[in-house]
Amino acid sequence: MISNISKLTPFFTYKNTAVFNESVLNKNCFKAEFFDLGITSPPYNVGIEYNSNDDALGYKEYLKFTQLWLKNCYFWAKDRARFCLNIPLDKNKGGAQSVGADIISIAKSVGWKYHSTIIWNEGNISRRTAWGSYKSASAPYVIAPVELIVVLYKNEWNKNKGKKEKGNDDISKEEFIAWTNGLWTFNGESKKRIGHPAPFPRELPKRCIKLFSFIDEIIFDPFCGSGTTLIEANTNNRKGIGLELDINYCKLIKERISENDGLL
């Protein structure tokens, strides 16, 4: 599988999973059109202390960075691929910005088509760090304790259109009915427990994988972080490919995948 999509040597491989210690800004990481479903949570640009990434860019510079990686991912996506982006609705730190709307606009400008937005009500989220003018109409801050999971696709939405054979689904009736409701409520993940400054919980990629992909398809995470997307791809009988810029997080991903399969 690896030789068919990249000339680079992965940091490690396991079963149908591979992690590359590379930057998503490098278009030459992969050949065109290799993944069926992308799932990622890119840097939010709110000053999180990653080891190898500047998370405090000027907003214009951040949007330029966003355009570059979204364009590369579009180049790497198969026809009819889907892309699930876990991004903030907005932000106040460093000046109020409509981050979600801006990222969606950029994604459409590079070729992605918009399908829908899932609202993730993160049950244990804590965002009340600033009230603005408390109990006064002078200058209050309004903060929505939710995040977005934006669902995009390349060219056409219907994966089976024009095909003689249908894909192999593994989603139950109960899961399908519950998850096609665009309000998802589950807790976030513990930074301390995982050992990464911005992990998302396994429930997020699990739902996206089972709802938007078939068994044996390729799942891609361009900001692999702690490897949660790849763990769920492996658990749910998909192939997983990830990019991670920081070597220490690559080691963390390897450790977590091994632990999940009972190898450690």
Side-chain angles (χ1 to χ4, degrees):
M1 177 183 69
I2 302 304
S3 61
N4 291 333
I5 67 172
S6 178
K7 295 180 180 178
L8 302 178
T9 301
F11 176 80
F12 80 92
T13 60
Y14 173 71
K15 292 184 177 178
N16 288 320
T17 302
V19 173
F20 293 83
N21 180 208
E22 263 291 350
S23 169
V24 67
L25 300 183
N26 179 5
K27 188 178 180 180
N28 295 319
C29 284
F30 304 109
K31 302 173 185 177
E33 302 187 351
F34 80 88
F35 74 86
D36 301 284
L37 172 64
I39 304 171
T40 200
S41 186
Y44 283 14
N45 202 44
V46 290
I48 293 175
E49 293 184 5
Y50 296 107
N51 291 339
S52 303
N53 181 72
D54 183 1
D55 198 48
L57 301 173
Y59 195 61
K60 288 185 178 180
E61 191 176 356
Y62 174 69
L63 295 184
K64 183 179 180 181
F65 160 76
T66 299
Q67 182 183 41
L68 288 173
W69 71 258
L70 279 169
K71 188 174 182 180
N72 282 351
C73 289
Y74 185 80
F75 175 75
W76 296 327
K78 290 181 182 178
D79 188 46
R80 296 185 175 91
R82 283 84 181 270
F83 204 8
C84 297
L85 302 183
N86 173 216
I87 57 177
L89 173 63
D90 52 23
K91 77 180 187 79
N92 284 316
K93 188 171 184 178
Q97 300 289 353
S98 55
V99 184
D102 292 340
I103 291 178
I104 292 171
S105 179
I106 290 170
K108 291 165 69 176
S109 76
V110 302
W112 291 105
K113 294 185 178 180
Y114 175 83
H115 180 262
S116 59
T117 295
I118 297 161
I119 304 300
W120 173 24
N121 179 18
E122 190 176 346
N124 62 343
I125 200 167
S126 178
R127 293 264 179 93
R128 305 306 289 157
T129 56
W131 299 91
S133 55
Y134 182 63
K135 294 181 68 176
S136 169
S138 175
Y141 290 164
V142 178
I143 301 173
V146 299
E147 295 192 8
L148 307 181
I149 303 171
V150 178
V151 184
L152 308 168
Y153 65 98
K154 185 173 181 177
N155 296 331
E156 290 192 69
W157 178 251
N158 189 336
K159 292 174 74 70
N160 282 329
K161 187 175 180 180
K163 296 182 179 180
K164 294 181 180 180
E165 296 182 3
K166 292 186 177 181
N168 192 0
D169 291 295
D170 62 347
I171 191 168
S172 70
K173 173 185 174 182
E174 292 74 20
E175 289 171 336
F176 185 85
I177 292 172
W179 299 348
T180 50
N181 180 332
L183 177 61
W184 291 358
T185 301
F186 49 84
N187 286 348
E189 185 55 270
S190 166
K191 302 174 186 178
K192 184 176 180 180
R193 187 179 77 84
I194 298 299
H196 186 275
F200 53 45
R202 290 181 59 170
E203 187 69 15
L204 192 156
K206 181 184 82 173
R207 293 189 183 196
C208 293
I209 286 168
K210 296 187 74 174
L211 188 58
F212 297 120
S213 75
F214 296 129
I215 290 173
D216 289 330
E217 287 194 325
I218 295 177
I219 312 301
F220 174 56
D221 190 340
F223 297 96
C224 218
S226 58
T228 306
T229 296
L230 302 187
I231 290 172
E232 284 301 315
N234 181 50
T235 300
N236 290 284
N237 301 307
R238 271 72 167 178
K239 302 175 178 71
I241 302 292
L243 285 177
E244 175 49 51
L245 182 63
D246 187 81
I247 190 71
N248 290 317
Y249 295 150
C250 286
K251 294 176 182 177
L252 173 62
I253 296 166
K254 183 177 181 179
E255 180 180 333
R256 291 190 71 209
I257 289 177
S258 299
E259 287 178 346
N260 185 66
D261 252 22
L263 300 181
L264 290 180

